[in-house]
Amino acid sequence: MNKVVEKEFFSEKVVRLVVEAPLIARARKAGNFVILRVGKKGERIPLTIASADAEKGTIDLVAQVVGVSTSKLAELEPGDYITDLVGPLGKPTHIEKVGTILAAGGGVGVAPLLPIVEAFKKAGNRVITVLAARSRDLIILEDQMRQWSDELIVMTDDGSHGRKGLVTAGMEEILQREKVDECIVIGPAIMMKFAALLTGKYKVPTQASLNSIMVDGTGMCGACRVSVGGKTRFTCVDGPEFDAHHIDFDEMLMRLGGYREEEKEALERYHLQHKLVEK
Amino acid sequence: MGLNSFYLKQERDAAWRTELRKKTKNKDRMLINRVSMPELEPEIRVNYQDREVNRGLTRDMAMQEAIRCMDCANPTCIEGCPVSINIPKFIKNIERGEIQQAASVLKETSALPAVCGRVCPQEKQCEAQCFYVQKLNKPAVAIGHLERFAADYERENGEMSVPETAEPNGIKVATVGSGPAALSFAGDMIKKGYDVTVFEALHEIGGVLKYGIPEFRLPNSIVDKELENLQKMGVHFKTNFIVGRTASFDDLKEQGFQAFFIGSGAGLPRFMNIPGENYNGILSSNEYLTRVNLMGAQYDETDTPVLHGRRVAVIGGGNTAMDSVRTALRLGAEKAMIVYRRSEEEMPARIEEIKHAKEEGVEFHNLCNPLEYYGDEKGRVSGMKLMRMELGEPDASGRRRPVPMEGSEFEMDVDLVIVAVGVSPNPLVPSSLKELSVTKWGTIVVDENDMQSSIPEMFAGGDIVRGGATVILAMGDGRRAAEKMDHFLQGKYAVN
């Protein structure tokens, strides 16, 4: 049981929770994730660690409300408990001084990107960050990102904040302007796919952090498998980051929809139950 | 393992045993037919994921079966048991109606008798060594059924006895994982007086007993009862804790843990690496069974989803394949099929599981191997291409090798495929202990006799060493590791 100590909504559907987890706060590295479960009948879901405070013994989690499990998570209030929380999982990001890093984050993918940007900056790199979302209210952690970036570009689809356009437009501007040594992208699979196509064109080594479906998160179930360079890899123990130029994003997009109908039904049941309770 | 021939003889010479032997002539014992296990009717049981198929023996049935055992002077059955249960002693206690005592005998060597009585391949172990089989060519004494009976009877009738434990010696030891190997290790170490903590990565204790074995074969409530017993003996349990990640081995050593038993089990599911294998609707048996057994995905009130198939193919011929195909039937499949590349004779599954599957209507497609999967426009599996096989010469496993038959390809409609072709060891511990010696398959290298790894204070056993075996072999490893770790630690303290 892990206590929620703070909660804020970045937007209607995006929530940040600060959770007591002293061991994880101490052990986690940039790129790690946790698996959590809300309620005894809850589902195990993976979430990346946005940041941690080893002294206070807390970790920050950012989640977008999509289905039943994220709805239940977002309903927790400070003082409530997360039933189960385990981590840190996954291989940490390989951080070293390489020169110039281009970091691109889309939507809630910006949360796990934050500790990576911080680590690259602390390792002595020049870091240029591109944040992207559909509109102004979906851009998160902008100030924190600015703190660790030499340059920050914000892109919105509707132009309500920063520049109008997709994340790739912001990235391409940098790639055309200067030599980038490494790129990291985290966001929706479709965004990572096009970001990878772009950096492939410029031959910049690129890592993408994948948000596959998982159950145990320790390499047992194989639900998170992805094809990388024609080989099947498990996101939870081999990843979550892989060479973006070799990931089969189309297959990944297909696999992300693997339980869509079941999840939709569950969400309908959940909303129905909620209405019954409210009455 | 603690049961030497002198001790066995002494036990056998006890007055009550001698008296029992005299009471019934061996000739009469041999005339009794082996008891058959009552089962839930197939038409009923296919509707329930959580109703046990085997219903257990009545007291009368058990006592009658116990008479069959001739209390051999040289009880070969014990040699067939990986944890060396004193088999004649527990059976003779059943014969005289002392069921609680029979249960206590089981617990002298087995931390999980109700589990072993259900899932052990007794026909290949203790029962295979029984005098009836060896010398009389008759069915063995139903040791497994009797074990289950004694454990169940004790649980259902009054207080469960808690085995005696030695005075605490204050030495802290830990297990990595909480499956059968780790639990058996923990049970023995707590008896020896150690301060034992079991660390588990999942949110529930029990490992494969909980996530892997369906409730129609092993109810989770029975596993929980046996765990309660370990808890009463003083074993500490910590869930949601990944040793090597949540805290490093060094952190734990700093907290006073002197030695570790790594029983982290089988990890990565194996796939066949054939085209189309990553379509949705093709999943590992681990994923399928975990969603159902551990997460209760079949119930509306739980949040975990599971895929339902109309035409389900399970690839493989082991117990896990049988568990998966029978789960698919219970979740509503119209057609539930086993696809196995050898013949039924070579199937690694227990004969009983194959029989149960057949009674329930599972179709067997033996001597068939998938070559490729097809998907629909949404990326969900819709069919598969298979090839027929014939059997050639025996391979390294001693079983006849399947050989593809040219031109025998055919297609089959399926909408759910469960791949149960084995597992590789869990990579988490070796990846966080670089100095640990592992084989090229990722199993931990141990000295076979003492289960000690290349790091002296690290012992290991179960699937992380064997790469996929049975519950009872894992438990045997746990026991052996406990005995050897005890020597190791006592030696260390004697020197200091």
Side-chain angles (χ1 to χ4, degrees), chain A residues 1-2 23-24 26-27 32 35 37-38 41-44 68-69 72 83-92 213-227 232 234 236-238 251 254-259 261-263 266 269-270 273, chain B residues 200-204 211 238-242 245-248 251 254-255 266-271 273 277-288 290-291 294-295 299-308 378-380 419 423-424 426-428 431:
Chain A
M1 298 283 271
N2 300 66
L23 293 176
I24 302 174
R26 207 164 68 113
N32 283 143
I35 290 226
R37 199 169 74 111
V38 181
K41 310 245 156 146
E43 166 187 25
R44 296 173 63 91
V68 175
S69 300
K72 285 186 177 174
T83 319
D84 295 289
L85 179 71
V86 64
L89 291 158
K91 286 187 177 159
I213 293 173
M214 288 181 196
V215 184
D216 64 295
T218 62
M220 189 187 81
C221 81
C224 66
R225 61 194 195 272
V226 287
S227 295
T232 294
F234 297 123
C236 68
V237 288
D238 299 325
E251 181 189 275
M254 174 198 88
R255 287 189 61 78
L256 282 173
Y259 287 88
E261 278 166 35
E262 287 74 15
E263 279 160 1
R269 270 200 303 273
Y270 178 71
Q273 263 171 10
Chain B
E200 167 58 49
L202 287 171
H203 56 273
E204 277 199 37
Y211 72 74
K238 246 188 156 59
T239 52
N240 295 315
F241 195 108
I242 304 178
R245 298 279 172 122
T246 309
S248 67
D251 290 337
E254 249 170 62
Q255 287 175 30
L268 309 176
R270 280 201 203 120
F271 288 92
N273 299 314
E277 207 171 18
N278 287 344
Y279 277 125
N280 289 319
I282 302 177
L283 44 153
S284 75
S285 48
N286 269 357
E287 178 182 353
Y288 189 60
T290 300
R291 285 180 183 273
L294 185 73
M295 308 307 294
Y299 304 116
D300 273 358
E301 65 268 27
T302 59
D303 298 342
T304 305
V306 66
L307 294 177
H308 291 267
K378 283 183 180 163
R380 168 109 181 212
V419 183
V423 284
S424 307
N426 194 304
L428 282 183
S431 75

Side-chain angles (χ1 to χ4, degrees), chain B residues 3-68:
Chain B
L3 290 183
N4 58 42
S5 54
F6 174 74
Y7 168 80
L8 288 175
K9 187 175 178 320
Q10 216 181 15
E11 290 278 346
R12 187 173 182 268
D13 288 344
W16 67 272
R17 290 264 290 265
T18 316
E19 201 180 304
L20 264 189
R21 278 198 299 277
K22 282 187 192 147
K23 204 171 134 193
T24 314
K25 286 189 189 122
N26 276 351
K27 198 178 71 191
D28 295 330
R29 292 181 191 270
M30 283 188 270
L31 288 175
I32 303 169
N33 287 325
R34 179 176 153 127
V35 69
S36 73
M37 173 65 84
E39 293 170 356
L40 201 62
E41 296 77 4
E43 311 75 59
I44 296 175
R45 70 195 195 219
V46 292
N47 298 311
Y48 301 94
Q49 175 69 16
D50 57 353
R51 285 208 193 169
E52 252 194 299
V53 171
N54 282 337
R55 311 187 65 174
L57 304 180
T58 62
R59 193 169 192 270
D60 288 345
M61 289 164 100
M63 285 175 69
Q64 176 80 354
E65 178 66 18
I67 301 175
R68 289 184 73 221

Side-chain angles (χ1 to χ4, degrees), chain A residues 1-267:
Chain A
M1 298 283 271
N2 300 66
K3 194 172 173 182
V4 175
V5 290
E6 238 182 278
K7 171 183 168 179
E8 68 173 308
F9 279 97
F10 285 146
S11 67
E12 195 198 343
K13 293 269 179 198
V14 178
V15 67
R16 167 178 167 265
L17 296 171
V18 181
V19 181
E20 270 179 10
L23 293 176
I24 302 174
R26 207 164 68 113
R28 70 96 206 190
K29 292 200 172 84
N32 283 143
F33 65 95
V34 294
I35 290 226
L36 58 81
R37 199 169 74 111
V38 181
K40 288 285 170 207
K41 310 245 156 146
E43 166 187 25
R44 296 173 63 91
I45 53 165
L47 278 182
T48 31
I49 305 167
S51 64
D53 187 327
E55 266 171 43
K56 283 189 193 150
T58 58
I59 57 172
D60 282 26
L61 303 172
V62 175
Q64 181 162 20
V65 177
V66 216
V68 175
S69 300
T70 40
S71 298
K72 285 186 177 174
L73 183 67
E75 278 163 22
L76 295 178
E77 297 297 336
D80 289 344
Y81 286 84
I82 290 179
T83 319
D84 295 289
L85 179 71
V86 64
L89 291 158
K91 286 187 177 159
T93 310
H94 181 74
I95 304 280
E96 60 177 330
K97 188 175 173 185
V98 290
T100 301
I101 301 285
L102 175 59
V108 282
V110 171
L113 189 64
L114 177 62
I116 296 171
V117 162
E118 179 183 338
F120 271 121
K121 184 67 200 159
K122 283 181 175 166
N125 294 284
R126 171 174 149 76
V127 182
I128 305 166
T129 304
V130 182
L131 300 187
R134 284 200 308 279
S135 60
R136 177 185 200 100
D137 57 336
L138 295 171
I139 293 286
I140 60 170
L141 300 166
E142 187 181 337
D143 293 340
Q144 290 89 328
M145 275 293 189
R146 182 163 285 122
Q147 189 193 336
W148 299 108
S149 307
D150 294 278
E151 186 182 343
L152 184 93
I153 298 172
V154 175
M155 305 291 303
T156 47
D157 293 6
D158 61 1
S160 53
H161 186 46
R163 272 177 250 169
K164 185 170 159 64
L166 297 173
V167 71
T168 40
M171 290 172 74
E172 186 145 30
E173 188 184 309
I174 306 299
L175 290 164
Q176 274 174 351
R177 186 184 75 194
E178 63 182 286
K179 182 178 175 291
V180 172
D181 297 287
E182 202 180 311
C183 180
I184 172 119
V185 295
I186 310 183
I190 190 80
M191 167 240 165
M192 292 193 282
K193 174 185 166 173
F194 285 103
L197 284 172
L198 175 73
T199 61
K201 205 168 81 184
Y202 287 87
K203 299 202 165 40
V204 178
T206 302
Q207 300 289 313
S209 177
L210 306 185
N211 55 329
S212 311
I213 293 173
M214 288 181 196
V215 184
D216 64 295
T218 62
M220 189 187 81
C221 81
C224 66
R225 61 194 195 272
V226 287
S227 295
V228 183
K231 283 195 177 140
T232 294
R233 310 290 301 277
F234 297 123
T235 305
C236 68
V237 288
D238 299 325
E241 285 162 25
F242 295 100
D243 181 339
H245 297 147
H246 291 112
I247 296 167
D248 184 342
F249 279 109
D250 293 333
E251 181 189 275
M252 191 203 165
L253 280 159
M254 174 198 88
R255 287 189 61 78
L256 282 173
Y259 287 88
R260 193 158 287 150
E261 278 166 35
E262 287 74 15
E263 279 160 1
K264 212 178 108 201
E265 276 172 33
L267 192 62

